[in-house]
Amino acid sequence: MGLTLTEKILKAHLVDGEFKKGEEIGIKIDQTLTQDATGTMAYLEFEAIGIPRVKTERSVAYIDHNTLQSGFENADDHRFIGSIAKKHGIYFSRPGNGICHQVHLERFGIPGKTLIGSDSHTPTGGGIGMVAIGAGGLDVAVAMGGGAYYITYPKIVKINLEGKLSPWVAAKDVILEVLSRMSVKGGVGKVIEYCGEGVKTLSVPERATITNMGAELGATTSIFPSDEITKEFLKAQKREDVWVPLCADEDAVYDEEININLSKITPMAACPHMPDNVKTLSEIGKMKIDQVCIGSCTNSSLQDMMKVAHILKGKTVNPDVSLSIAPGSKQVLNMLAQNGALSVMIDAGARILESACGPCIGMGQSPNSKGISLRTFNRNFEGRSGTKDAGVYLVSPEVAAASAISGYLTDPRDLGDMPEFKMPEEFIINDNMIVLPADEKDMESVEILRGPNIKPFPKTEPLNDKIECKCSLKVEDNITTDHIMPAGAKILPLRSNIPAISNHCFTVCDEEFPKRAKEMGSSIIVGGANYGQGSSREHAALAPLYLGVKAVVTKSFARIHRANLVNAGILPLSFKNEADYNNIDLNDELTIENLKECINEGKNIIITNRTKGIEIECECELSERARKIILAGGLLSYTKEQM
Ligand code: MIC
Ligand code: SF4
């Protein structure tokens, strides 16, 4: 029986477990990446593990999220990360060099290699045939130290692409189509593999847009084959030597198959407030807009920017619209500067932003009250833009640019003939914003520069046999990590300070939660389905840990967040019977007993609701390794125990 591409790469990296569907497998990690908003914590954890030099083939620390430096905190974090990278063998991508996923694809990604990153959009690397997975900072720290990364052997979904996209229809529309079919929880436990003739019609940046936004499906990752198009891209990056051809075996067996005819796709938008709330532009109809933001790790490649420049050429941004553009990397920005496209954008009235995440994570450019904002980004969760009542629509760069001119949601197909956008034969290569680590012999002398806002990892303790506490919060389905641990310009500078950031935990849902949880001392949270979807931020587990949360009981979890809860030593419990969601309310008194026995023997766990006088059965599916982590009180304690 043949293997899928994902299986081939996973098998070649297997270091622990049985290579069987549904089993937990440990894979060797070749490369890691971190960004600054999750990086400080990841490097504090790496320090705590105590390994002097990274054991990966390549580890890169990017600065791209917290670039709005309205106080000393972010700059201190950048300096800390720069110094720790230098000491421990990590490449350091300085602020200004670009968004981690865009730069990693350009300069470091290698087909057939494994990559984990402390950012949920790490699957961007699947665009060149890597198995690239988003993970919590602690998992990345362990992988930097040479430890395996553990996943459940995924189900593999084949998306068979036929035909070719029509003019003005974009890769963004392809992933929006996939989202509308599979939903934001349809990818949990799965890897999405793109196959078929249509693959050959898509460039590397287009493939990367699609794998990037596979994160919004909840998928473990997404991957394209490595073919002649991948080779040309790497050649233009002067990295042809790392190319290898890779594809699935002809007789590979998939768990699911989906057919998509590219020629039938039309321009679409994900409507507020979920990436799977997808409608065609004609379904949405005429809609006046206030803002357009172009950029983010999903759509900030040179190809995207050239299409935008073409549409803006000789025009003026509509007087009622604010247009911002953030090219994804220094390479992209520099090429736009050299070929004149940047001048076209400036001339049209675009507000050019630095090559960073920016508005995507609420770092500036929050829309006006009740504003309608079209964004080429990947997430439109309520409030993420920084304006709670704004309506954010996720669209392609083509739709975004055309609408910025007209002032209304506009179908770019109305623009007439689309010129051909060719990939350059050579990108401008200048890695002068990547600082190399110190040589091994000089490591000792590198001083780690710590700012006053950088506080240690919160204390954990081994699992108690009995939990007796109240329910401190009850939330509904599809709670995102942006609800649990909001981002934005005001809160992001506290990412290195868990005691301070925990005061903002869940405040989007309930202003009183941090105070209440602290007063309760220990507590349990109740959630709905797909709890913790979205980002990889382990702060969404570390802040509850700091606030005394012992267990989270839900209908179901998103993958990375569940792993982060286990890593933090918080019990992830699922209602055996979903209807029991209705049997726990805020402030109910709850007891769980015999925990150690239940965890050790894989038995279901009974929550006694003393307020209502009922018993609720919960499942706690944990691998052998996850059980040990929970019993030890989290991955950090477990890793130290192992050493
Ligand atoms: C995001 O897009 O939500 C982020 C900000 O990049 C996060 C990481 C973080 O919260 O720092 C992600 O996607 O993992
Ligand atoms: Fe940055 Fe937005 Fe991409 Fe997250 S999704 S890495 S915030 S650009």
Side-chain angles (χ1 to χ4, degrees), residues 59-73:
S59 285
V60 190
Y62 292 91
I63 306 294
D64 54 1
H65 281 62
N66 293 352
T67 55
L68 196 74
Q69 294 151 226
S70 52
F72 64 91
E73 295 88 348

Side-chain angles (χ1 to χ4, degrees), residues 35 37-38 65 101 118-121 357 360-361 378-379 384 481-482 487 492 495 534-537 539:
Q35 38 89 338
T38 54
H65 281 62
H101 309 302
S118 61
D119 192 282
S120 65
H121 291 103
C357 300
C360 178
I361 188 59
N378 44 36
R379 291 189 172 139
R384 182 173 157 105
T481 49
D482 279 291
L492 276 167
R495 282 289 181 93
S535 120
S536 69
R537 62 189 73 145
H539 302 74

Side-chain angles (χ1 to χ4, degrees), residues 278-291:
V278 175
K279 297 200 171 102
T280 61
L281 296 197
S282 46
E283 277 166 346
I284 300 170
K286 192 166 180 185
M287 180 174 72
K288 191 162 162 43
I289 60 167
D290 302 288
Q291 186 192 48

